[in-house]
Amino acid sequence: MRTKTETNIQLGHGGGGLLTREFLDRHVVPRFATGPLEGLPDGATLPALENGIIFSTDSFVVHPMFFPGGNIGDLAVHGTVNDVAVSGGIPRWLSLGMILEEGIEQDVVGRVLDSVAEAAADCGVQVVTGDTKVVPRGLCDGMYLNTAGIGERMPEFDLGAARLQTGDVILASGTLGDHGMAVMAAREGIEMAGGPVSDTGPVHRLVQAARPFATEVRFMRDPTRGGVAAVLNELVEDAPLGIILQEDDLPWSTGARAIAETLGFDLLHSACEGRMLMACAPDVAGLILDAWRAIPEGNGATAVGAVTNDDAGRVLLETCMGGRRLVDVPQGELLPRIC
Amino acid sequence: MKYLDGFRNGKAAKALTARLKAAGERLDAQGKTVQFMEVCGSHTMAIARYGIRDLLPDCVKLISGPGCPVCVTDTGYIDAAIDLGKQGHILATFGDLVRVPGSDETLAQIRAEGARVEVVYSPEGAVALAQDNPEKQIVFLAIGFETTMVPGISLVKIAAEKGLDNLTVLCAFKLVPPALAALGSDPEINLDGFICPAHVSAIIGADAYKPFVGPRGVPCVVAGFEPLDVLYAAVELAEQAADGRAELVNQYNRVVKPGGNKVAQAVVAELLELCDEPWRGIGVIPESGMQLREAYAAFDAVKRFGLKLEPGRPHPGCQCGEVLKGKITPQQCPAFDKGCTPTHPLGPCMVSSEGSCAAYYKYVRREAGAETMEVSK
């Protein structure tokens, strides 16, 4: 049986001394210390990549740490892997920074790191460097994570809002807004059969599936904070083009809709953490959808809208009633600490 | 979700839209253009969110009325609340009111300067504040239509039972039917029918609109908040207008009964009595408000603090009054999306989530050819 000091994180676990060594031996070495992290060097030595690199970072403060469908650990991997992937990179290496609150249970840290390891393996990335700090009780809410990711650039992708053309098709890789509603339901203690489950997951295989059609892909993004509305508004903000979405084609899960209707949220504003939005030329849209639907993370893929040359700079929704309305950008933060 | 989907069915919408078009053709043949007012803020939001205006024939217009309780709260009421807050009393209010501009400032501004303005989620929250702060006077800002009167004044009974002598309410309750009568008789507005509110009607009953229909009246449809509810109401009103009929239809009979909620009506009758009431942008409408009866004067903030509510001074660039009467659309206000936005509202219609200006800002924003100009703050 472990004593209390062993079951909970102490300030000393982040102090750089013997307790830190114990922490690393217990949590980090068994999970990550192969390859560049073997021997726990201060920095990872990595090979050069021929086509250049894509580099991204993200911090994770989600509350609660555990939610239906995932936890802060897999979220921290998926978040950065997805940013690298939608930028046209093959994710390769991750850093992992941990800020722990004094008193958090070591078992909780272990469960989160198990999720980090599993998600990293699934994404084909290695955790190659990291850092742990402990702050006094009350100065952080359990655990915050930061990951930075390096990927190898795929030169065939040439992405950007400037490449958008009238008639381009907007694709979604699956149901939208699930993560935001799952976290919201968990936070509010709403338990219901068939309730929302987070979509946290990687999109790198979706990017790979679309790679044969890369020259016809204009834009890729995982719609996280601000949801679909924020991503698409940003895309056409300064463009001479607009986007029209079809409400009847938007893929929602029943659980996410139930929470959104009950609490009065617009699912277009709700975050995803494992979905992709893509704008591509119409002649490859069907081919990309077929390729996506052939892999598990894309089985709910569908076309949701199109790029138009009227209504420049605006995202509109053709509603289930047949009228049109503006899809606005969320005012401020819809759900704080969603990721 | 099946229950909701039934009220958002695209096929049903197409069938109703076809009926609307046919009614529009009949109105065209008679050379008539008609305008119907949706009185309730939730209808305004539903119409904008589902793009229902796009489905209307040119000769049928939907205009938004004074159905958002925050929007019709007089500037002078906000000023009186601000004075109480500055005197050191604790104000308990629902969140929407905090950002509504008074003559010179908002409750949010005086809160930032140290006044205690507490947002509560139910009137019981005000009771808790009174119990936790026995040395302070707590004033609950009780605004709203028939729907919120009972919860709003329930705390008077609780305070009486608990013997709390530090809790009062500042009432600005408003009644919908007198406002409909005032708007319906305004020759400048020229209304041809009302989409009557949903939840107000659940309290007062559909029969409350009987005086508005008949040979000298206009058609009235009590409608729910789902898009097919509202679309059906538009169809019914357009068909009646084309037929020259003016009848009362209760489309929302899944919730609204002809006689309304008798229990709620009894509570209102016990505690409240009619009074003349100022409506922002409209002016004083006789017997359109409710105030505490003399027997409960001890809980009336106006009486306890000797308040005299003066007419306020709305921002000169704000045309909420014209919007509330349906005389202009939000985009026709020079301040819309210029000096006045949801983050920096000049008037209450842009503050409340049910306000017409907020609905247009969120779901419509600009209309082709709509002219706007800069307004200085």
Side-chain angles (χ1 to χ4, degrees), chain A residues 164-176:
Chain A
L164 223 52
Q165 293 178 24
T166 303
D168 283 351
V169 180
I170 308 293
L171 308 179
S173 67
T175 56
L176 299 167

Side-chain angles (χ1 to χ4, degrees), chain B residues 29-50:
Chain B
Q30 298 167 37
K32 277 192 196 166
T33 296
V34 291
Q35 52 182 2
F36 308 129
M37 176 176 278
E38 90 272 1
V39 179
C40 178
S42 296
H43 284 143
T44 301
M45 287 308 274
I47 287 163
R49 176 177 170 186
Y50 292 98

Side-chain angles (χ1 to χ4, degrees), chain A residues 247 254 257-258 261 266 269 311-312 314 317 319-329 331, chain B residues 1 4-5 8-10 13 48-51 54-55 227-228 342-343 361-366:
Chain A
E247 186 167 36
T254 308
R257 269 194 76 200
E261 289 291 342
D266 185 342
H269 292 168
D311 279 306
R314 308 220 303 172
L317 178 75
T319 72
C320 55
M321 295 289 100
R324 286 184 176 196
R325 62 110 157 151
L326 186 70
V327 175
D328 68 326
V329 185
Q331 304 276 324
Chain B
M1 298 306 297
L4 272 185
D5 289 338
R8 298 177 188 180
N9 180 300
R49 176 177 170 186
Y50 292 98
D54 290 354
L55 309 178
L228 282 181
T343 40
Y361 188 90
K362 184 173 170 60
Y363 292 126
V364 188
R365 197 78 52 94
R366 65 165 191 244

Side-chain angles (χ1 to χ4, degrees), chain A residues 197-240:
Chain A
V197 175
S198 170
D199 48 45
T200 184
V203 302
H204 68 295
R205 281 184 286 265
L206 294 164
V207 173
Q208 284 299 328
R211 195 172 177 183
F213 318 102
T215 54
E216 301 298 307
V217 174
R218 323 282 195 211
F219 173 84
M220 300 189 286
R221 184 68 62 84
D222 56 329
T224 54
R225 280 175 299 174
V228 173
V231 167
L232 295 183
N233 271 291
E234 191 185 321
L235 180 58
V236 295
E237 181 170 62
D238 300 315

Side-chain angles (χ1 to χ4, degrees), chain A:
Chain A
M1 204 177 115
R2 290 178 192 274
T3 62
K4 183 80 177 165
T5 54
E6 291 169 303
T7 57
N8 295 70
I9 292 291
Q10 304 171 46
L11 283 172
H13 282 118
L18 284 177
L19 277 176
T20 299
R21 185 72 228 180
E22 265 182 40
F23 177 87
L24 293 172
D25 284 343
R26 179 169 169 188
H27 292 297
V28 176
V29 171
R31 293 183 177 90
F32 305 110
T34 57
L37 199 55
E38 193 172 353
L40 303 176
D42 280 347
T45 303
L46 305 172
L49 298 175
E50 189 182 343
N51 293 311
I53 65 169
I54 305 279
F55 181 41
S56 184
T57 186
D58 211 340
S59 297
F60 298 85
V61 298
V62 64
H63 171 75
M65 267 190 286
F66 293 82
F67 45 82
N71 62 54
I72 191 170
D74 39 32
L75 191 65
V77 173
H78 297 145
T80 293
V81 159
N82 291 348
D83 285 347
V84 169
V86 297
S87 304
I90 303 168
R92 296 285 300 274
W93 302 297
L94 278 187
S95 71
L96 176 66
M98 287 183 269
I99 295 171
L100 307 178
E101 183 184 9
E102 177 190 19
I104 187 176
E105 290 171 28
Q106 298 228 20
D107 284 350
V108 171
V109 176
R111 280 166 61 200
V112 169
L113 291 179
D114 280 343
S115 296
V116 169
E118 277 172 39
D122 180 44
C123 297
V125 294
Q126 272 184 309
V127 176
V128 293
T129 186
D131 178 56
T132 307
K133 295 284 191 306
V134 181
V135 295
R137 193 184 289 275
L139 294 187
C140 114
D141 188 5
M143 176 190 301
Y144 299 151
L145 299 182
N146 171 277
T147 53
I150 291 174
E152 181 168 11
R153 194 176 77 88
M154 290 178 272
E156 57 269 53
F157 281 105
D158 177 16
L159 305 167
R163 292 197 60 226
L164 223 52
Q165 293 178 24
T166 303
D168 283 351
V169 180
I170 308 293
L171 308 179
S173 67
T175 56
L176 299 167
D178 294 322
H179 176 74
M181 290 302 106
V183 171
M184 195 67 210
R187 193 179 299 171
E188 298 297 320
I190 302 171
E191 287 179 29
M192 55 194 267
V197 175
S198 170
D199 48 45
T200 184
V203 302
H204 68 295
R205 281 184 286 265
L206 294 164
V207 173
Q208 284 299 328
R211 195 172 177 183
F213 318 102
T215 54
E216 301 298 307
V217 174
R218 323 282 195 211
F219 173 84
M220 300 189 286
R221 184 68 62 84
D222 56 329
T224 54
R225 280 175 299 174
V228 173
V231 167
L232 295 183
N233 271 291
E234 191 185 321
L235 180 58
V236 295
E237 181 170 62
D238 300 315
L241 302 164
I243 287 174
I244 178 89
L245 298 175
Q246 301 296 324
E247 186 167 36
D248 286 338
D249 294 338
L250 289 169
W252 311 126
S253 71
T254 308
R257 269 194 76 200
I259 295 293
E261 289 291 342
T262 306
L263 299 181
F265 289 116
D266 185 342
L267 275 178
L268 287 167
H269 292 168
S270 177
C272 308
E273 289 290 344
R275 301 290 186 233
M276 187 150 76
L277 287 177
M278 176 183 280
C280 66
D283 52 329
V284 298
L287 299 168
I288 291 172
L289 283 177
D290 288 344
W292 281 1
R293 287 170 183 154
I295 55 177
E297 48 265 65
N299 64 12
T302 186
V304 296
V307 176
T308 66
N309 59 4
D310 42 49
D311 279 306
R314 308 220 303 172
V315 181
L316 297 176
L317 178 75
E318 187 158 319
T319 72
C320 55
M321 295 289 100
R324 286 184 176 196
R325 62 110 157 151
L326 186 70
V327 175
D328 68 326
V329 185
Q331 304 276 324
E333 188 91 43
L334 176 70
L335 301 170
R337 297 186 57 195
I338 200 71
C339 59

Side-chain angles (χ1 to χ4, degrees), chain B residues 311-328:
Chain B
R313 290 170 286 105
H315 190 283
C318 169
Q319 298 199 9
C320 280
E322 300 303 285
V323 171
L324 288 165
K325 285 183 280 193
K327 288 185 178 174
I328 62 170

